[in-house]
Amino acid sequence: MDCGGWNDPRNGYPMKKILRLSVNGKPREDAVAENALLIDYLRDTLGLTGTKQGCDGGECGACTVLVDSQPRLACSTLAHSLAGRKVETIESLSHEGNLSRLQRAFHEHLGTQCGFCTPGMIMAAEALLRTNPHPDRTAIRAALAGNLCRCTGYVKIIESVEAAAQEQSV
Amino acid sequence: MAALPDFQLLHPATASDAIRMRALHPGSRYLAGGTDLLPNMRRGLVATEVVIDLGGVDELTDLHEESSALYIGAGVTLAVIAANRTVQDRLPALAQAASGVAGPTHRVSATLGGNLCLETRCRFYNQSESWREANAFCLKLGSDTCRVATKSPRCYAAFSGDIAPALMVLDAKVEVLGPLGTRVLPISDFYRDDGITWLAMTPDELLVAVRVPLKTGWASAYEKVRVRGAMDFPLAGVAVALRRENNTIADLRIALTGVSSRPEFVNGLDALAGHPLDDTALAIITRRIKLGIKAMETTLIEVPFRRRITPVLAKRMVERLWEMVSTSLS
Ligand SMILES: Cc1cc2nc3c(=O)[nH]c(=O)nc-3n(C[C@H](O)[C@H](O)[C@H](O)COP(=O)(O)OP(=O)(O)OC[C@H]3O[C@@H](n4cnc5c(N)ncnc54)[C@H](O)[C@@H]3O)c2cc1C
Ligand code: SF4
Ligand code: FES
Ligand code: FES
C-alpha cells in the first residue's frame, strides 16, 4: 500500500512521479506531477497540442482522446490514472502525411469550420467506427452527443462520419 | 480553467487498502471516473491534499448475477451497466437511467459509485471561483447565507443523480465498507435531506456495491426532463416500478431526483394496492408526488415548472407501464 512517508504531502509537493504508458503507439516514461491532468500532460509535456481544451471541465468533448480504444475526456482524467494504458490522440491518425479516412471525410464533406471541436469529434467518431463499422445516423448522433460544435450545426459532421464509414466498407 | 490544486495521489489495490488510506488521511477524497470530482476540483469546490484513486481496485468492478439479485460493484461503469443484458431485460429503469447520464464519453468512465455519491448541485455553487467570490459565496462553501433561501439555516442544493431513483423503485440495497466491517442498507437510507451532507455514509466508509433484486412480474422505467436533450442533469427525474394484477395495481413504487437534496421515494402509494388505475388513483399519485417535491431555485429553470412537470411525467409513465403489462399478460 503506497501511503508511506516519503511522499507525505507535508514533505513538499506537487510530487513528480514516473508515469509509464503508451502514447500514440510509443512507450513513454515521464516524470509527471501527481495532480497533472491528462490534457496538460499531452499538451504541455508531450507537445501534442491537437487535443483541445474547449470548456472549464467535462462539458464540450473537445479534449476527447482514446484510452484502450475507448473515448475519454482528457480534461477530466488524471495522467497517473492511466499507468500502463494505451492513449491515442488526433496526432496518431495520419500516417506519413496521409490523412485517416475520418480526417479526409471531415475535410471533404466540410465537417470542420473553425476546427476547434474537430479533434474531439474525430476521436469520438474513431471510437465508434472501431466498435461499429457501419453505424446509422442514430448511432452516430448518439456517439457524438457529448461533443459540442459552435460552427457547423452538426449536419456536416454527421455526413462526414457517414462518408468515412462508407469508405471503410468498400 | 484553473489547474488542479496540489495533492498526493494514492493507488489502493483493494477496498480494504482504500479505507485504511482513508483512515490515515481523513480529509482525502475518493476518485472513481472523475467526471464529477475533477471538474469540481478545478472550480475550487473541493479542496483536498490526498486523492485516493479507486481505478485499480478490481473487486469494485465485479458484476454478477446471484440467485435472485444482480450484484453491481461501485466501480462498474454506466456504459457497462446500460449495455448489460440482465439490466436491459429485467431492470429497465436502471438501464434507462444509466444510458441517460451525461454524454456517451462520460459514461465510459463514470461509475455507479460516483453517480450515487454525486455532489449536490446549485446554480450558486457550480460556478467558477471568481463568480462565487463576486456573490460572497454561500452556506455550502462556508459562508453564512444561502443565496437561494436567504433566511434558511440549511442548504437546498439538489441531488441530481439519475441512478438513485431507479435503484429505489427497484428496491436495491447498498453495501458499505468501513473500519468495522460491511454494512448493508436500503438505498433510501443512504441519503439525507441536506444539500451539504446528503450521504448517510461516514467519512471513513467506502461504497462497495449495490444489490438489485431480480423480481418477476414488475415493469419499470426512468425518464427525465432536462434543458439540453443531448446531455444534461435532470431538472426532474422520475423512476416508476409497477406490478399489475388483472385490472388492479398490485404494487406501485415511484422515486424522484433533481427536486430535493436527496433522491425522494414517494410515500403513501401502498394505499393504491388493489385499486384500478383510474382518475382517483392518478389524482392520489399526483398529490403524493407533490408532497415529495422540495424543489428550490437551484436551477436556472424556475421551480413552478419543475413542480408541474414531475407529476405529469410520472402519470404518463405509470399509464404507459400499465398498458405494457396488460399487453404482456394477454
Ligand atoms: C457535462 C456533464 C453532464 C453530466 N450529466 C449528468 C447527468 O445527466 N446525470 C447524472 O447523474 N450525472 C451527470 N454528470 C455527473 C457525473 O458525470 C456522473 O454523475 C457520474 O456518474 C459520476 O461518476 P464518476 O465515477 O465519474 O464519479 P467521480 O467524479 O469519480 O466521483 C463523484 C463523487 O463520488 C465519490 N465516490 C466515487 N466513488 C465512491 C465510492 N465507491 N465510495 C464513496 N465515494 C465515492 C467521489 O469521492 C466524489 O465525491 C454530468 C457531468 C458532466 C461533466
Ligand atoms: S442552496 Fe443555498 S447554500 Fe446551498 S449551494 Fe445553493 S445558495 Fe449555496
Ligand atoms: S475540455 Fe471540454 S470536455 Fe474536456
Ligand atoms: S467547427 Fe468550430 S466548433 Fe466545431
Side-chain angles (χ1 to χ4, degrees):
Chain A
M1 172 166 135
D2 137 315
C3 52
W6 70 272
N7 57 356
D8 188 304
R10 284 160 299 189
N11 298 342
Y13 57 134
M15 194 72 199
K16 281 198 174 178
K17 276 193 170 176
I18 298 298
L19 170 64
R20 292 185 189 86
L21 78 178
S22 145
V23 179
N24 295 342
K26 295 196 188 74
R28 298 225 44 117
E29 194 173 294
D30 296 298
V32 180
E34 294 198 277
N35 67 343
L37 288 161
L38 176 61
I39 191 164
D40 296 331
Y41 167 65
L42 292 173
R43 290 178 55 91
D44 300 347
T45 309
L46 304 188
L48 295 171
T49 53
T51 303
K52 303 300 181 203
Q53 167 101 42
C55 70
D56 70 349
E59 314 258 351
C60 74
C63 63
T64 308
V65 298
L66 302 189
V67 174
D68 297 335
S69 279
Q70 293 202 303
R72 179 114 189 183
L73 299 176
C75 77
S76 308
T77 302
L78 293 180
H80 276 284
S81 293
L82 299 184
R85 313 280 290 272
K86 229 178 98 197
V87 178
E88 293 166 82
T89 69
I90 186 77
E91 284 89 348
S92 69
L93 293 188
S94 65
H95 288 288
E96 292 164 2
N98 296 319
L99 298 181
S100 77
R101 61 180 194 281
L102 269 166
Q103 289 173 312
R104 210 165 42 244
F106 270 69
H107 175 64
E108 286 166 6
H109 296 264
L110 307 180
T112 177
Q113 284 185 23
C114 82
F116 206 78
C117 71
T118 311
M121 286 287 179
I122 290 183
M123 294 317 278
E126 175 73 24
L128 170 70
L129 295 188
R130 284 188 194 178
T131 51
N132 178 2
H134 308 293
D136 58 15
R137 253 165 205 255
T138 315
I140 296 172
R141 289 173 64 109
L144 299 182
N147 292 72
L148 304 193
C149 174
R150 305 205 119 178
C151 306
T152 64
Y154 302 102
V155 174
K156 295 286 171 193
I157 289 177
I158 290 160
E159 286 174 7
S160 302
V161 179
E162 274 183 319
Q166 269 155 24
E167 184 184 331
Q168 175 176 334
S169 60
V170 289
Chain B
M1 175 171 185
L4 287 172
D6 295 340
F7 54 76
Q8 180 189 11
L9 183 63
L10 305 178
H11 300 277
T14 64
S16 45
D17 271 0
I19 60 163
R20 270 200 295 278
M21 289 174 181
R22 182 73 160 217
L24 283 176
H25 305 283
S28 61
R29 293 297 290 257
Y30 288 126
L31 172 73
T35 60
D36 182 48
L37 185 69
L38 293 177
N40 284 351
M41 284 181 83
R42 296 186 79 170
R43 274 174 213 148
L45 295 171
V46 176
T48 179
E49 294 200 328
V50 177
V51 172
I52 302 173
D53 185 351
L54 299 174
V57 184
D58 288 343
E59 67 201 272
L60 294 182
T61 58
D62 188 14
L63 169 67
H64 66 265
E65 214 170 310
E66 299 174 339
S67 58
S68 59
L70 188 67
Y71 176 100
I72 314 176
V76 176
T77 66
L78 301 184
V80 165
I81 293 175
N84 181 276
R85 279 310 292 268
T86 307
V87 175
Q88 289 175 354
D89 293 347
R90 313 232 8 222
L91 308 167
L94 176 58
Q96 289 156 21
S99 57
V101 171
T105 304
H106 298 91
R107 294 193 293 272
V108 171
S109 30
T111 63
L112 172 66
N115 195 272
L116 294 180
C117 299
L118 181 68
E119 175 97 40
T120 53
R121 300 179 59 81
C122 172
R123 66 193 168 111
F124 290 94
Y125 180 75
N126 299 91
Q127 298 288 354
S128 68
E129 182 102 40
S130 52
W131 192 101
R132 284 177 282 119
E133 191 176 8
N135 279 279
F137 300 108
C138 72
L139 275 183
K140 194 164 157 71
L141 282 155
S143 162
D144 52 8
T145 324
C146 166
R147 308 283 147 203
V148 163
T150 41
K151 297 208 176 79
S152 164
R154 62 160 280 195
C155 164
Y156 288 96
F159 181 82
S160 309
D162 288 302
I163 307 284
L167 291 180
M168 277 180 174
V169 299
L170 296 170
D171 204 14
K173 292 201 164 51
V174 300
E175 198 179 299
V176 170
L177 179 69
L180 300 176
T182 299
R183 95 192 150 94
V184 173
L185 60 165
I187 183 153
S188 310
D189 295 350
F190 187 62
Y191 294 99
R192 302 168 34 139
D193 189 13
D194 186 295
I196 296 174
T197 49
W198 66 100
L199 296 178
M201 203 171 44
T202 54
D204 55 0
E205 289 181 313
L206 172 77
L207 175 63
V208 173
V210 164
R211 258 196 191 81
V212 200
L214 295 170
K215 302 178 185 172
T216 45
W218 287 77
S220 72
Y222 176 78
E223 275 187 38
K224 67 183 190 177
V225 180
R226 44 187 163 177
V227 176
R228 277 189 301 166
M231 156 172 87
D232 219 335
F233 289 93
L235 288 169
V238 179
V240 178
L242 172 76
R243 201 163 59 82
R244 175 175 174 174
E245 260 163 22
N246 302 318
N247 255 339
T248 60
I249 299 168
D251 272 301
L252 176 63
R253 297 168 65 88
I254 298 181
L256 316 172
T257 188
V259 293
S260 169
S261 289
R262 62 175 178 201
E264 289 284 347
F265 185 76
V266 176
N267 289 311
L269 297 178
D270 25 358
L272 292 174
H275 288 266
L277 186 69
D278 53 13
D279 288 348
T280 321
L282 288 170
I284 292 173
I285 293 170
T286 300
R287 198 164 64 240
R288 283 291 166 183
I289 286 178
K290 284 195 168 158
L291 288 173
I293 300 175
K294 298 169 196 156
M296 300 288 280
E297 298 285 353
T298 54
T299 60
L300 292 174
I301 305 298
E302 52 201 19
V303 171
F305 174 79
R306 287 156 70 206
R307 285 190 66 83
R308 261 181 248 142
I309 195 79
T310 311
V312 171
L313 190 60
K315 204 180 103 179
R316 282 185 200 150
M317 292 166 70
V318 172
E319 287 176 330
R320 201 185 67 225
L321 290 179
W322 179 261
E323 292 308 321
M324 242 170 69
V325 189
S326 83
T327 40
S328 69
L329 288 177
S330 60

